[in-house]
């Protein structure tokens, strides 16, 4: 715990809370952001498009995307959407006015250190310091309970073990105080926000790992698993290419925060196999890795996507998902897709900063591979018969984490029923 920083944050938050009393909030105005203000993607993107294209029906007047990327803002305006750039007077105006503030990932600026030791400052999804008195809604993008997060990580447990009294006090305040999470954790009161979950089990997980009050959890579906309201041009182009191949493998490795793990260029290793069996390989590095993982342009049988590409529009169209410990496996499971797991660093990851929050043998409902030769055989075999890759408990795990089958209409209604 960095007491000085926490105290300073609390004082700044109290000042922001007092200042917000002069803002007139408008229930017909919504602001939405995602992934450090850099991407138009994920749950935020799907819900934003739905709200934007149904404003009259829903009684809304302004639905505004917040980004740190001026080019992205211009692109969205060309599609007919409202968008503002962080730090502008226009952005500040709409942040102060909007009744609903919606994010899916980062609730404040963060300093990330890459494998080379370089520090990178990233934004929050929106200008979260202006979120007091708004209805703060977190559409957090991870479910499935494998990769440990927040209070369940190995790193957190080690700190807690080293400072048991300090962390006992902190956890007491997290679970039993309204003031502490509201003012001391994040900018703009985001330590106390509404959060969507996908099942009673997921609600319990969010409560235990983030100390989110259960009454502030909204059990519903994920917007990104609904039909996309409108594809962007480059997304439609990729889907058209996918339709030209017999099978499509989507490779999505998660990030490693404390590892010397080196990503092999599997597409190059398997290129002859991909051509022989008419398989399209699509790959995207995790956004948190993008400062040191390169990406390339489209080649025959291989597409390496920009880190900001929204892979959620592709999952319904793939044959196989290839991943490791990422929660994206649950989205593939939602769509009843086959999943293969490439986990050569399994033991290291188990004992690393994150670690696991559930039994991998239970929730990884597909073949697991530690070497590239066996993985090659699995890709070929299951590209012809993807159903054969599913473990006997596949549907049981699916139902455990996806207890809701909701449309975008339903999801917004669920949110409003709780948030008001």
């Amino acid at each position: 715990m960095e007491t000085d920083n926490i105290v300073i944050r609390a004082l700044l938050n109290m000042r922001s809370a007092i200042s917000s009393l002069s803002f007139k909030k408008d229930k017909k105005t919504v602001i939405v952001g995602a992934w450090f203000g850099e991407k138009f993607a994920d749950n935020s993107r799907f819900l934003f498009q739905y709200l934007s294209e149904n404003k009259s029906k829903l009684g809304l007047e302004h639905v505004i995307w917040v980004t740190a990327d001026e080019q992205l803002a211009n692109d969205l305006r060309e599609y007919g959407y409202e968008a503002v750039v962080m730090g502008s007077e226009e952005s500040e105006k709409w942040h102060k006015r909007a009744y609903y503030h919606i994010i899916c990932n980062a609730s404040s600026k963060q300093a990330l250190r890459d494998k080379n030791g370089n520090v990178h400052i990233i934004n929050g999804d929106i200008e979260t310091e202006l979120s007091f008195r708004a209805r703060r809604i977190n559409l957090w993008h991870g479910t499935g309970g494998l990769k440990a997060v927040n209070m369940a990580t190995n790193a957190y447990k080690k700190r807690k073990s080293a400072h048991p009294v300090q962390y006992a006090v902190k956890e007491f305040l997290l679970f039993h105080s309204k003031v502490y999470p509201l003012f001391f954790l994040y900018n703009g009161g985001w330590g106390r926000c509404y959060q969507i979950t996908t099942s009673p089990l997921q609600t319990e997980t969010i409560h235990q790992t983030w100390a989110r009050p259960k009454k502030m959890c909204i059990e519903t579906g994920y917007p990104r698993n609904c039909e996309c309201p409108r594809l962007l041009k480059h997304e439609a182009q990729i889907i058209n290419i996918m339709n030209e191949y017999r099978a499509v493998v989507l490779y999505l490795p998660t990030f490693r925060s404390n590892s010397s793990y080196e990503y092999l260029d599997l597409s190059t290793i398997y290129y002859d196999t991909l051509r022989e069996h008419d398989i399209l390989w699509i790959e995207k590095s995790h956004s948190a890795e993008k400062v040191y993982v390169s990406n390339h342009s489209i080649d025959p049988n291989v597409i390496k996507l920009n880190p900001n590409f929204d892979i959620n529009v592709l999952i319904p169209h793939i044959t196989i998902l290839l991943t490791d410990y990422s929660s994206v496996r649950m989205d593939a499971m939602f769509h009843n897709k086959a999943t293969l797991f490439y986990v050569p660093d399994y033991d290291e990851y188990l004992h690393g900063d994150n670690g696991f929050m559930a039994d991998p043998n239970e929730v990884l409902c597909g073949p697991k591979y530690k070497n590239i030769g066996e993985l090659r055989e699995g890709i070929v075999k299951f590209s012809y018969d993807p159903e054969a890759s599913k473990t006997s408990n596949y549907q049981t795990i699916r139902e455990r984490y996806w207890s809701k089958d909701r449309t975008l209409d339903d999801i917004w209604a669920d949110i409003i029923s709780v948030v008001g």
Side-chain angles (χ1 to χ4, degrees):
M1 292 173 63
E2 299 177 8
T3 305
D4 292 340
N5 289 343
I6 288 176
V7 171
I8 292 171
R9 182 184 299 118
L11 293 173
L12 292 174
N13 273 333
M14 290 175 188
R15 185 179 69 178
S16 296
I18 293 170
S19 298
S20 73
L21 296 173
S22 62
F23 309 159
K24 184 178 180 180
K25 293 295 183 182
D26 179 9
K27 292 192 75 169
K28 296 182 178 181
T29 300
V30 183
I31 60 170
V32 189
W35 284 95
F36 322 118
E38 298 174 356
K39 298 202 298 185
F40 183 62
D42 221 296
N43 287 321
S44 293
R45 174 259 178 99
F46 279 64
L47 186 61
F48 168 81
Q49 288 185 296
Y50 164 75
L51 297 178
S52 295
E53 296 174 17
N54 292 276
K55 285 188 285 191
S56 297
K57 180 177 77 171
L58 300 173
L60 300 173
E61 291 183 354
H62 297 282
V63 181
I64 301 158
W65 188 264
V66 180
T67 177
D69 186 336
E70 190 165 352
Q71 183 58 55
L72 174 58
N74 290 334
D75 291 343
L76 291 178
R77 292 176 190 130
E78 289 186 7
Y79 279 96
Y81 296 124
E82 294 181 90
V84 296
V85 178
M86 292 181 186
S88 66
E89 292 183 6
E90 186 181 20
S91 175
E92 181 179 353
K93 177 187 74 173
W94 289 116
H95 275 76
K96 290 179 177 179
R97 180 172 171 179
Y99 184 81
Y100 301 102
H101 286 200
I102 300 174
I103 66 172
C104 74
N105 190 18
S107 55
S108 62
K109 286 187 177 181
Q110 303 173 44
L112 294 183
R113 188 180 300 276
D114 66 23
K115 291 180 179 178
N116 298 318
N118 300 315
V119 175
H120 304 265
I121 304 299
I122 57 175
N123 295 294
D125 290 4
I126 62 175
E127 297 188 71
T128 52
E129 64 273 14
L130 298 173
S131 290
F132 276 108
R133 289 185 54 247
R135 292 295 188 269
R136 299 176 296 276
I137 304 165
N138 192 336
L139 311 179
W140 187 58
H141 59 283
T143 190
L146 175 59
K147 183 172 68 175
V149 295
N150 207 33
M151 287 189 285
T153 63
N154 289 338
Y156 181 91
K157 291 174 182 177
K158 288 177 183 177
R159 294 195 302 270
K160 181 178 177 179
S161 178
H163 307 283
V165 175
Q166 192 175 18
Y167 275 77
V169 172
K170 176 182 178 179
E171 290 184 9
F172 177 85
L173 293 173
L174 280 172
F175 283 100
H176 301 288
S177 169
K178 293 182 180 180
V179 173
Y180 181 78
L182 187 65
F183 290 104
F184 288 79
L185 285 185
Y186 305 110
N187 293 343
W190 278 95
R192 188 172 176 84
C193 64
Y194 294 95
Q195 186 152 346
I196 64 169
T197 66
T198 59
S199 68
L201 176 60
Q202 184 67 358
T203 296
E204 182 64 29
T205 299
I206 293 296
H207 173 65
Q208 293 297 332
T209 58
W210 297 93
R212 193 77 70 232
K214 292 182 182 180
K215 67 180 180 181
M216 299 188 76
C217 292
I218 307 164
E219 286 185 14
T220 186
Y222 270 1
R224 69 186 187 187
N225 289 327
C226 301
E227 183 177 356
C228 183
R230 184 169 23 151
L231 294 172
L232 304 183
K233 292 178 182 178
H234 65 283
E235 295 167 344
Q237 290 171 351
I238 297 295
I239 291 173
N240 287 337
I241 293 172
M242 293 169 70
N243 292 332
E244 298 175 2
Y245 290 80
R246 182 188 61 80
V248 178
V249 174
L250 177 62
Y251 178 40
L252 300 173
T254 194
F255 70 95
R256 272 74 170 170
S257 59
N258 67 326
S259 174
S260 58
Y261 179 77
E262 295 295 333
Y263 293 89
L264 296 177
D265 192 342
L266 296 176
S267 64
T268 300
I269 296 171
Y270 297 151
Y271 190 64
D272 289 340
T273 300
L274 299 175
R275 286 192 298 178
E276 179 183 353
H277 295 277
D278 194 26
I279 299 171
L280 176 65
W281 177 280
I282 302 178
E283 178 177 341
K284 187 182 83 70
S285 60
H286 192 282
S287 296
E289 297 279 12
K290 68 183 181 181
V291 294
Y292 50 82
V293 175
S294 62
N295 287 268
H296 307 284
S297 60
I298 295 176
D299 293 305
N301 292 87
V302 176
I303 298 176
K304 293 195 175 181
L305 299 172
N306 182 286
N308 291 340
F309 190 98
D310 189 359
I311 53 89
N312 298 289
V313 302
L314 304 184
I315 293 176
H317 305 278
I318 67 174
T319 310
I320 293 173
L321 172 69
L322 174 60
T323 187
D324 39 37
Y325 320 108
S326 172
S327 64
V328 72
R329 79 191 189 285
M330 297 306 302
D331 297 277
M333 187 172 280
F334 178 89
H335 292 287
N336 275 307
K337 298 296 181 178
T339 304
L340 310 184
F341 300 94
Y342 178 53
V343 288
D345 62 336
Y346 178 91
D347 294 329
E348 180 185 4
Y349 197 91
L350 174 65
H351 300 290
D353 279 356
N354 283 100
F356 297 140
M357 198 156 49
D359 181 358
N361 293 318
E362 180 183 21
V363 299
L364 296 184
C365 299
K368 306 167 192 65
Y369 302 97
K370 289 190 175 183
N371 71 71
I372 59 175
E374 292 178 354
L375 176 59
R376 183 201 307 266
E377 294 175 3
I379 289 171
V380 173
K381 175 182 177 181
F382 296 118
S383 71
Y384 287 97
D385 188 7
E387 286 296 310
S389 72
K390 297 178 181 178
T391 56
S392 59
N393 68 334
Y394 183 99
Q395 288 301 330
T396 300
I397 297 299
R398 182 180 185 276
E399 292 168 6
R400 183 183 300 175
Y401 288 100
W402 298 111
S403 63
K404 303 283 185 178
D405 187 6
R406 310 294 280 166
T407 65
L408 285 165
D409 280 313
D410 296 331
I411 292 169
W412 184 243
D414 291 340
I415 290 173
I416 294 302
S417 69
V418 176
V419 173

